[in-house]
PDB file of all heavy atoms in Angstrom:
ATOM      1  N   SER A 478      11.705  10.309  -9.078  1.00  0.00           N
ATOM      2  CA  SER A 478      11.336  11.742  -9.170  1.00  0.00           C
ATOM      3  C   SER A 478      12.561  12.609  -8.982  1.00  0.00           C
ATOM      4  O   SER A 478      12.766  13.619  -9.721  1.00  0.00           O
ATOM      5  CB  SER A 478      10.255  12.067  -8.123  1.00  0.00           C
ATOM      6  OG  SER A 478       9.937  13.436  -8.171  1.00  0.00           O
ATOM      7  N   ALA A 479      13.385  12.254  -7.979  1.00  0.00           N
ATOM      8  CA  ALA A 479      14.548  13.102  -7.661  1.00  0.00           C
ATOM      9  C   ALA A 479      15.711  12.949  -8.664  1.00  0.00           C
ATOM     10  O   ALA A 479      16.327  13.973  -9.039  1.00  0.00           O
ATOM     11  CB  ALA A 479      15.071  12.727  -6.229  1.00  0.00           C
ATOM     12  N   LEU A 480      15.976  11.714  -9.114  1.00  0.00           N
ATOM     13  CA  LEU A 480      17.140  11.516  -9.954  1.00  0.00           C
ATOM     14  C   LEU A 480      16.834  11.532 -11.437  1.00  0.00           C
ATOM     15  O   LEU A 480      17.700  11.835 -12.277  1.00  0.00           O
ATOM     16  CB  LEU A 480      17.760  10.145  -9.607  1.00  0.00           C
ATOM     17  CG  LEU A 480      18.272   9.982  -8.190  1.00  0.00           C
ATOM     18  CD1 LEU A 480      18.766   8.577  -7.925  1.00  0.00           C
ATOM     19  CD2 LEU A 480      19.362  11.019  -7.888  1.00  0.00           C
ATOM     20  N   LEU A 481      15.579  11.246 -11.827  1.00  0.00           N
ATOM     21  CA  LEU A 481      15.235  11.194 -13.221  1.00  0.00           C
ATOM     22  C   LEU A 481      14.200  12.227 -13.622  1.00  0.00           C
ATOM     23  O   LEU A 481      13.864  12.371 -14.782  1.00  0.00           O
ATOM     24  CB  LEU A 481      14.691   9.785 -13.605  1.00  0.00           C
ATOM     25  CG  LEU A 481      15.652   8.615 -13.376  1.00  0.00           C
ATOM     26  CD1 LEU A 481      14.930   7.284 -13.674  1.00  0.00           C
ATOM     27  CD2 LEU A 481      16.867   8.786 -14.292  1.00  0.00           C
ATOM     28  N   GLY A 482      13.696  12.968 -12.650  1.00  0.00           N
ATOM     29  CA  GLY A 482      12.737  14.017 -12.915  1.00  0.00           C
ATOM     30  C   GLY A 482      11.356  13.459 -13.367  1.00  0.00           C
ATOM     31  O   GLY A 482      10.628  14.162 -14.115  1.00  0.00           O
ATOM     32  N   GLU A 483      11.000  12.262 -12.950  1.00  0.00           N
ATOM     33  CA  GLU A 483       9.748  11.660 -13.365  1.00  0.00           C
ATOM     34  C   GLU A 483       8.535  12.332 -12.680  1.00  0.00           C
ATOM     35  O   GLU A 483       8.618  12.665 -11.474  1.00  0.00           O
ATOM     36  CB  GLU A 483       9.736  10.181 -13.061  1.00  0.00           C
ATOM     37  CG  GLU A 483      10.782   9.403 -13.840  1.00  0.00           C
ATOM     38  CD  GLU A 483      10.823   7.917 -13.457  1.00  0.00           C
ATOM     39  OE1 GLU A 483      10.268   7.575 -12.426  1.00  0.00           O
ATOM     40  OE2 GLU A 483      11.472   7.157 -14.203  1.00  0.00           O
ATOM     41  N   THR A 484       7.511  12.540 -13.417  1.00  0.00           N
ATOM     42  CA  THR A 484       6.301  13.177 -12.895  1.00  0.00           C
ATOM     43  C   THR A 484       5.410  12.133 -12.275  1.00  0.00           C
ATOM     44  O   THR A 484       5.197  11.066 -12.810  1.00  0.00           O
ATOM     45  CB  THR A 484       5.508  13.889 -13.996  1.00  0.00           C
ATOM     46  OG1 THR A 484       6.364  14.860 -14.618  1.00  0.00           O
ATOM     47  CG2 THR A 484       4.291  14.591 -13.472  1.00  0.00           C
ATOM     48  N   VAL A 485       4.852  12.445 -11.113  1.00  0.00           N
ATOM     49  CA  VAL A 485       3.957  11.558 -10.392  1.00  0.00           C
ATOM     50  C   VAL A 485       2.541  12.069 -10.518  1.00  0.00           C
ATOM     51  O   VAL A 485       2.247  13.162 -10.070  1.00  0.00           O
ATOM     52  CB  VAL A 485       4.351  11.395  -8.916  1.00  0.00           C
ATOM     53  CG1 VAL A 485       3.423  10.416  -8.227  1.00  0.00           C
ATOM     54  CG2 VAL A 485       5.796  10.959  -8.819  1.00  0.00           C
ATOM     55  N   GLN A 486       1.662  11.324 -11.197  1.00  0.00           N
ATOM     56  CA  GLN A 486       0.279  11.770 -11.402  1.00  0.00           C
ATOM     57  C   GLN A 486      -0.558  11.623 -10.165  1.00  0.00           C
ATOM     58  O   GLN A 486      -0.306  10.718  -9.341  1.00  0.00           O
ATOM     59  CB  GLN A 486      -0.374  10.942 -12.527  1.00  0.00           C
ATOM     60  CG  GLN A 486       0.359  11.039 -13.878  1.00  0.00           C
ATOM     61  CD  GLN A 486       1.558  10.120 -13.977  1.00  0.00           C
ATOM     62  OE1 GLN A 486       1.809   9.341 -13.099  1.00  0.00           O
ATOM     63  NE2 GLN A 486       2.275  10.226 -15.061  1.00  0.00           N
ATOM     64  N   PRO A 487      -1.541  12.498  -9.977  1.00  0.00           N
ATOM     65  CA  PRO A 487      -2.371  12.481  -8.745  1.00  0.00           C
ATOM     66  C   PRO A 487      -3.053  11.126  -8.517  1.00  0.00           C
ATOM     67  O   PRO A 487      -3.070  10.610  -7.416  1.00  0.00           O
ATOM     68  CB  PRO A 487      -3.416  13.579  -8.986  1.00  0.00           C
ATOM     69  CG  PRO A 487      -2.735  14.510  -9.938  1.00  0.00           C
ATOM     70  CD  PRO A 487      -1.894  13.656 -10.816  1.00  0.00           C
ATOM     71  N   ASN A 488      -3.640  10.537  -9.561  1.00  0.00           N
ATOM     72  CA  ASN A 488      -4.319   9.252  -9.358  1.00  0.00           C
ATOM     73  C   ASN A 488      -3.331   8.114  -9.106  1.00  0.00           C
ATOM     74  O   ASN A 488      -3.656   7.153  -8.430  1.00  0.00           O
ATOM     75  CB  ASN A 488      -5.222   8.898 -10.582  1.00  0.00           C
ATOM     76  CG  ASN A 488      -4.401   8.684 -11.839  1.00  0.00           C
ATOM     77  OD1 ASN A 488      -3.633   9.552 -12.185  1.00  0.00           O
ATOM     78  ND2 ASN A 488      -4.573   7.562 -12.497  1.00  0.00           N
ATOM     79  N   PHE A 489      -2.110   8.283  -9.566  1.00  0.00           N
ATOM     80  CA  PHE A 489      -1.080   7.321  -9.275  1.00  0.00           C
ATOM     81  C   PHE A 489      -0.726   7.366  -7.783  1.00  0.00           C
ATOM     82  O   PHE A 489      -0.527   6.357  -7.129  1.00  0.00           O
ATOM     83  CB  PHE A 489       0.166   7.524 -10.148  1.00  0.00           C
ATOM     84  CG  PHE A 489       1.284   6.566  -9.871  1.00  0.00           C
ATOM     85  CD1 PHE A 489       1.161   5.238 -10.294  1.00  0.00           C
ATOM     86  CD2 PHE A 489       2.446   6.935  -9.221  1.00  0.00           C
ATOM     87  CE1 PHE A 489       2.195   4.308 -10.065  1.00  0.00           C
ATOM     88  CE2 PHE A 489       3.442   6.050  -8.968  1.00  0.00           C
ATOM     89  CZ  PHE A 489       3.331   4.727  -9.379  1.00  0.00           C
ATOM     90  N   ILE A 490      -0.649   8.590  -7.261  1.00  0.00           N
ATOM     91  CA  ILE A 490      -0.370   8.798  -5.828  1.00  0.00           C
ATOM     92  C   ILE A 490      -1.495   8.159  -5.002  1.00  0.00           C
ATOM     93  O   ILE A 490      -1.277   7.470  -4.006  1.00  0.00           O
ATOM     94  CB  ILE A 490      -0.245  10.263  -5.471  1.00  0.00           C
ATOM     95  CG1 ILE A 490       0.999  10.869  -6.189  1.00  0.00           C
ATOM     96  CG2 ILE A 490      -0.129  10.484  -3.980  1.00  0.00           C
ATOM     97  CD1 ILE A 490       1.153  12.383  -5.967  1.00  0.00           C
ATOM     98  N   MET A 491      -2.773   8.413  -5.434  1.00  0.00           N
ATOM     99  CA  MET A 491      -3.915   7.842  -4.719  1.00  0.00           C
ATOM    100  C   MET A 491      -3.874   6.318  -4.775  1.00  0.00           C
ATOM    101  O   MET A 491      -4.119   5.668  -3.742  1.00  0.00           O
ATOM    102  CB  MET A 491      -5.241   8.366  -5.352  1.00  0.00           C
ATOM    103  CG  MET A 491      -6.480   7.888  -4.620  1.00  0.00           C
ATOM    104  SD  MET A 491      -8.013   8.496  -5.432  1.00  0.00           S
ATOM    105  CE  MET A 491      -7.769  10.250  -5.319  1.00  0.00           C
ATOM    106  N   GLY A 492      -3.586   5.755  -5.916  1.00  0.00           N
ATOM    107  CA  GLY A 492      -3.497   4.336  -6.017  1.00  0.00           C
ATOM    108  C   GLY A 492      -2.378   3.781  -5.188  1.00  0.00           C
ATOM    109  O   GLY A 492      -2.541   2.717  -4.547  1.00  0.00           O
ATOM    110  N   SER A 493      -1.274   4.468  -5.152  1.00  0.00           N
ATOM    111  CA  SER A 493      -0.115   4.011  -4.325  1.00  0.00           C
ATOM    112  C   SER A 493      -0.467   3.989  -2.857  1.00  0.00           C
ATOM    113  O   SER A 493      -0.136   3.042  -2.134  1.00  0.00           O
ATOM    114  CB  SER A 493       1.078   4.972  -4.530  1.00  0.00           C
ATOM    115  OG  SER A 493       1.467   5.001  -5.886  1.00  0.00           O
ATOM    116  N   VAL A 494      -1.216   5.000  -2.411  1.00  0.00           N
ATOM    117  CA  VAL A 494      -1.637   5.060  -1.007  1.00  0.00           C
ATOM    118  C   VAL A 494      -2.546   3.859  -0.701  1.00  0.00           C
ATOM    119  O   VAL A 494      -2.421   3.232   0.379  1.00  0.00           O
ATOM    120  CB  VAL A 494      -2.380   6.416  -0.730  1.00  0.00           C
ATOM    121  CG1 VAL A 494      -3.038   6.363   0.671  1.00  0.00           C
ATOM    122  CG2 VAL A 494      -1.340   7.566  -0.820  1.00  0.00           C
ATOM    123  N   LEU A 495      -3.483   3.582  -1.602  1.00  0.00           N
ATOM    124  CA  LEU A 495      -4.377   2.436  -1.375  1.00  0.00           C
ATOM    125  C   LEU A 495      -3.624   1.098  -1.347  1.00  0.00           C
ATOM    126  O   LEU A 495      -3.909   0.255  -0.503  1.00  0.00           O
ATOM    127  CB  LEU A 495      -5.451   2.414  -2.469  1.00  0.00           C
ATOM    128  CG  LEU A 495      -6.482   3.540  -2.437  1.00  0.00           C
ATOM    129  CD1 LEU A 495      -7.395   3.456  -3.655  1.00  0.00           C
ATOM    130  CD2 LEU A 495      -7.291   3.503  -1.177  1.00  0.00           C
ATOM    131  N   ILE A 496      -2.673   0.941  -2.248  1.00  0.00           N
ATOM    132  CA  ILE A 496      -1.888  -0.291  -2.259  1.00  0.00           C
ATOM    133  C   ILE A 496      -1.117  -0.438  -0.950  1.00  0.00           C
ATOM    134  O   ILE A 496      -1.086  -1.518  -0.323  1.00  0.00           O
ATOM    135  CB  ILE A 496      -0.932  -0.287  -3.483  1.00  0.00           C
ATOM    136  CG1 ILE A 496      -1.739  -0.412  -4.765  1.00  0.00           C
ATOM    137  CG2 ILE A 496       0.068  -1.487  -3.353  1.00  0.00           C
ATOM    138  CD1 ILE A 496      -0.871  -0.222  -6.002  1.00  0.00           C
ATOM    139  N   ILE A 497      -0.420   0.624  -0.549  1.00  0.00           N
ATOM    140  CA  ILE A 497       0.369   0.573   0.681  1.00  0.00           C
ATOM    141  C   ILE A 497      -0.527   0.333   1.903  1.00  0.00           C
ATOM    142  O   ILE A 497      -0.172  -0.422   2.830  1.00  0.00           O
ATOM    143  CB  ILE A 497       1.203   1.839   0.833  1.00  0.00           C
ATOM    144  CG1 ILE A 497       2.233   1.878  -0.293  1.00  0.00           C
ATOM    145  CG2 ILE A 497       1.881   1.896   2.187  1.00  0.00           C
ATOM    146  CD1 ILE A 497       3.044   3.166  -0.371  1.00  0.00           C
ATOM    147  N   ALA A 498      -1.703   1.008   1.941  1.00  0.00           N
ATOM    148  CA  ALA A 498      -2.648   0.806   3.034  1.00  0.00           C
ATOM    149  C   ALA A 498      -3.119  -0.634   3.065  1.00  0.00           C
ATOM    150  O   ALA A 498      -3.259  -1.228   4.168  1.00  0.00           O
ATOM    151  CB  ALA A 498      -3.860   1.741   2.857  1.00  0.00           C
ATOM    152  N   GLY A 499      -3.363  -1.218   1.907  1.00  0.00           N
ATOM    153  CA  GLY A 499      -3.745  -2.625   1.856  1.00  0.00           C
ATOM    154  C   GLY A 499      -2.685  -3.545   2.383  1.00  0.00           C
ATOM    155  O   GLY A 499      -2.966  -4.479   3.117  1.00  0.00           O
ATOM    156  N   LEU A 500      -1.409  -3.246   2.038  1.00  0.00           N
ATOM    157  CA  LEU A 500      -0.297  -4.035   2.561  1.00  0.00           C
ATOM    158  C   LEU A 500      -0.165  -3.894   4.075  1.00  0.00           C
ATOM    159  O   LEU A 500       0.188  -4.851   4.767  1.00  0.00           O
ATOM    160  CB  LEU A 500       0.980  -3.655   1.832  1.00  0.00           C
ATOM    161  CG  LEU A 500       1.099  -4.090   0.396  1.00  0.00           C
ATOM    162  CD1 LEU A 500       2.275  -3.446  -0.309  1.00  0.00           C
ATOM    163  CD2 LEU A 500       1.262  -5.625   0.310  1.00  0.00           C
ATOM    164  N   ILE A 501      -0.421  -2.696   4.552  1.00  0.00           N
ATOM    165  CA  ILE A 501      -0.359  -2.488   5.996  1.00  0.00           C
ATOM    166  C   ILE A 501      -1.419  -3.322   6.712  1.00  0.00           C
ATOM    167  O   ILE A 501      -1.196  -3.920   7.764  1.00  0.00           O
ATOM    168  CB  ILE A 501      -0.581  -0.983   6.361  1.00  0.00           C
ATOM    169  CG1 ILE A 501       0.671  -0.187   5.899  1.00  0.00           C
ATOM    170  CG2 ILE A 501      -0.790  -0.797   7.866  1.00  0.00           C
ATOM    171  CD1 ILE A 501       0.527   1.304   6.049  1.00  0.00           C
ATOM    172  N   LEU A 502      -2.603  -3.400   6.139  1.00  0.00           N
ATOM    173  CA  LEU A 502      -3.696  -4.232   6.700  1.00  0.00           C
ATOM    174  C   LEU A 502      -3.293  -5.703   6.774  1.00  0.00           C
ATOM    175  O   LEU A 502      -3.582  -6.434   7.688  1.00  0.00           O
ATOM    176  CB  LEU A 502      -4.998  -4.072   5.900  1.00  0.00           C
ATOM    177  CG  LEU A 502      -5.829  -2.820   6.213  1.00  0.00           C
ATOM    178  CD1 LEU A 502      -7.073  -2.817   5.348  1.00  0.00           C
ATOM    179  CD2 LEU A 502      -6.216  -2.771   7.671  1.00  0.00           C
ATOM    180  N   THR A 503      -2.612  -6.159   5.710  1.00  0.00           N
ATOM    181  CA  THR A 503      -2.187  -7.538   5.693  1.00  0.00           C
ATOM    182  C   THR A 503      -1.147  -7.791   6.771  1.00  0.00           C
ATOM    183  O   THR A 503      -1.019  -8.945   7.271  1.00  0.00           O
ATOM    184  CB  THR A 503      -1.588  -7.956   4.319  1.00  0.00           C
ATOM    185  OG1 THR A 503      -0.400  -7.229   4.071  1.00  0.00           O
ATOM    186  CG2 THR A 503      -2.615  -7.728   3.224  1.00  0.00           C
ATOM    187  N   ARG A 504      -0.395  -6.765   7.155  1.00  0.00           N
ATOM    188  CA  ARG A 504       0.604  -6.918   8.210  1.00  0.00           C
ATOM    189  C   ARG A 504      -0.056  -6.935   9.584  1.00  0.00           C
ATOM    190  O   ARG A 504       0.178  -7.856  10.349  1.00  0.00           O
ATOM    191  CB  ARG A 504       1.578  -5.717   8.156  1.00  0.00           C
ATOM    192  CG  ARG A 504       2.469  -5.557   9.376  1.00  0.00           C
ATOM    193  CD  ARG A 504       3.428  -6.728   9.562  1.00  0.00           C
ATOM    194  NE  ARG A 504       4.233  -6.539  10.759  1.00  0.00           N
ATOM    195  CZ  ARG A 504       3.951  -7.036  11.932  1.00  0.00           C
ATOM    196  NH1 ARG A 504       2.862  -7.759  12.103  1.00  0.00           N
ATOM    197  NH2 ARG A 504       4.754  -6.854  12.991  1.00  0.00           N
ATOM    198  N   PHE A 505      -0.953  -5.977   9.867  1.00  0.00           N
ATOM    199  CA  PHE A 505      -1.531  -5.897  11.207  1.00  0.00           C
ATOM    200  C   PHE A 505      -2.696  -6.875  11.410  1.00  0.00           C
ATOM    201  O   PHE A 505      -3.109  -7.110  12.542  1.00  0.00           O
ATOM    202  CB  PHE A 505      -1.971  -4.473  11.476  1.00  0.00           C
ATOM    203  CG  PHE A 505      -0.823  -3.508  11.710  1.00  0.00           C
ATOM    204  CD1 PHE A 505      -0.428  -2.646  10.686  1.00  0.00           C
ATOM    205  CD2 PHE A 505      -0.131  -3.467  12.891  1.00  0.00           C
ATOM    206  CE1 PHE A 505       0.645  -1.811  10.847  1.00  0.00           C
ATOM    207  CE2 PHE A 505       0.903  -2.589  13.070  1.00  0.00           C
ATOM    208  CZ  PHE A 505       1.318  -1.754  12.058  1.00  0.00           C
ATOM    209  N   GLY A 506      -3.176  -7.419  10.338  1.00  0.00           N
ATOM    210  CA  GLY A 506      -4.277  -8.357  10.463  1.00  0.00           C
ATOM    211  C   GLY A 506      -3.836  -9.761  10.725  1.00  0.00           C
ATOM    212  O   GLY A 506      -4.670 -10.667  10.996  1.00  0.00           O
ATOM    213  N   GLN A 507      -2.521 -10.046  10.706  1.00  0.00           N
ATOM    214  CA  GLN A 507      -2.011 -11.423  10.819  1.00  0.00           C
ATOM    215  C   GLN A 507      -2.150 -11.966  12.229  1.00  0.00           C
ATOM    216  O   GLN A 507      -2.092 -13.178  12.455  1.00  0.00           O
ATOM    217  CB  GLN A 507      -0.563 -11.482  10.366  1.00  0.00           C
ATOM    218  CG  GLN A 507       0.398 -10.735  11.303  1.00  0.00           C
ATOM    219  CD  GLN A 507       1.822 -10.827  10.784  1.00  0.00           C
ATOM    220  OE1 GLN A 507       2.132 -11.612   9.908  1.00  0.00           O
ATOM    221  NE2 GLN A 507       2.704  -9.997  11.328  1.00  0.00           N
ATOM    222  N   THR A 508      -2.338 -11.082  13.244  1.00  0.00           N
ATOM    223  CA  THR A 508      -2.452 -11.563  14.639  1.00  0.00           C
ATOM    224  C   THR A 508      -3.859 -12.000  14.964  1.00  0.00           C
ATOM    225  O   THR A 508      -4.107 -12.546  16.045  1.00  0.00           O
ATOM    226  CB  THR A 508      -2.024 -10.459  15.621  1.00  0.00           C
ATOM    227  OG1 THR A 508      -2.849  -9.281  15.414  1.00  0.00           O
ATOM    228  CG2 THR A 508      -0.600 -10.079  15.376  1.00  0.00           C
ATOM    229  N   MET A 509      -4.812 -11.733  14.092  1.00  0.00           N
ATOM    230  CA  MET A 509      -6.202 -12.140  14.331  1.00  0.00           C
ATOM    231  C   MET A 509      -6.454 -13.557  13.937  1.00  0.00           C
ATOM    232  O   MET A 509      -5.572 -14.261  13.388  1.00  0.00           O
ATOM    233  CB  MET A 509      -7.143 -11.159  13.591  1.00  0.00           C
ATOM    234  CG  MET A 509      -6.970  -9.717  13.991  1.00  0.00           C
ATOM    235  SD  MET A 509      -8.056  -8.594  13.094  1.00  0.00           S
ATOM    236  CE  MET A 509      -7.583  -7.013  13.788  1.00  0.00           C
ATOM    237  N   LYS A 510      -7.651 -14.019  14.148  1.00  0.00           N
ATOM    238  CA  LYS A 510      -7.984 -15.403  13.819  1.00  0.00           C
ATOM    239  C   LYS A 510      -8.092 -15.596  12.330  1.00  0.00           C
ATOM    240  O   LYS A 510      -8.810 -14.867  11.646  1.00  0.00           O
ATOM    241  CB  LYS A 510      -9.359 -15.779  14.458  1.00  0.00           C
ATOM    242  CG  LYS A 510      -9.718 -17.219  14.303  1.00  0.00           C
ATOM    243  CD  LYS A 510     -10.995 -17.544  15.042  1.00  0.00           C
ATOM    244  CE  LYS A 510     -11.380 -19.029  14.870  1.00  0.00           C
ATOM    245  NZ  LYS A 510     -12.666 -19.327  15.556  1.00  0.00           N
ATOM    246  N   PRO A 511      -7.327 -16.554  11.756  1.00  0.00           N
ATOM    247  CA  PRO A 511      -7.305 -16.718  10.293  1.00  0.00           C
ATOM    248  C   PRO A 511      -8.617 -17.330   9.798  1.00  0.00           C
ATOM    249  O   PRO A 511      -9.374 -17.982  10.546  1.00  0.00           O
ATOM    250  CB  PRO A 511      -6.146 -17.695  10.085  1.00  0.00           C
ATOM    251  CG  PRO A 511      -6.039 -18.464  11.347  1.00  0.00           C
ATOM    252  CD  PRO A 511      -6.397 -17.479  12.423  1.00  0.00           C
ATOM    253  N   VAL A 512      -8.861 -17.084   8.479  1.00  0.00           N
ATOM    254  CA  VAL A 512     -10.059 -17.658   7.870  1.00  0.00           C
ATOM    255  C   VAL A 512      -9.783 -19.135   7.585  1.00  0.00           C
ATOM    256  O   VAL A 512      -8.764 -19.513   7.050  1.00  0.00           O
ATOM    257  CB  VAL A 512     -10.316 -16.924   6.514  1.00  0.00           C
ATOM    258  CG1 VAL A 512     -11.533 -17.580   5.813  1.00  0.00           C
ATOM    259  CG2 VAL A 512     -10.608 -15.460   6.783  1.00  0.00           C
ATOM    260  N   ARG A 513     -10.763 -19.967   7.979  1.00  0.00           N
ATOM    261  CA  ARG A 513     -10.570 -21.434   7.800  1.00  0.00           C
ATOM    262  C   ARG A 513     -11.118 -21.889   6.451  1.00  0.00           C
ATOM    263  O   ARG A 513     -12.048 -21.290   5.950  1.00  0.00           O
ATOM    264  CB  ARG A 513     -11.340 -22.172   8.932  1.00  0.00           C
ATOM    265  CG  ARG A 513     -10.744 -21.815  10.327  1.00  0.00           C
ATOM    266  CD  ARG A 513      -9.310 -22.269  10.436  1.00  0.00           C
ATOM    267  NE  ARG A 513      -8.747 -21.905  11.756  1.00  0.00           N
ATOM    268  CZ  ARG A 513      -7.519 -22.128  12.092  1.00  0.00           C
ATOM    269  NH1 ARG A 513      -6.696 -22.636  11.241  1.00  0.00           N
ATOM    270  NH2 ARG A 513      -7.066 -21.767  13.272  1.00  0.00           N
TER     271      ARG A 513
END
């Protein structure tokens, strides 16, 4: 966005937030009991 002037669409931002939130869950969920 800063160097190439690329436009970021609202639904792309929403999807990005969901993807990153999902990755965060995979990080903090690793200390729990794993699925057998």
Side-chain angles (χ1 to χ4, degrees):
S478 178
L480 299 176
L481 299 175
E483 296 176 347
T484 302
V485 182
Q486 300 82 5
N488 63 308
F489 180 72
I490 296 175
M491 184 182 299
S493 301
V494 170
L495 291 175
I496 292 172
I497 293 171
L500 288 169
I501 290 175
L502 280 180
T503 65
R504 166 66 182 93
F505 289 101
Q507 67 182 347
T508 58
M509 301 179 181
K510 186 176 180 181
V512 177
R513 299 296 178 184

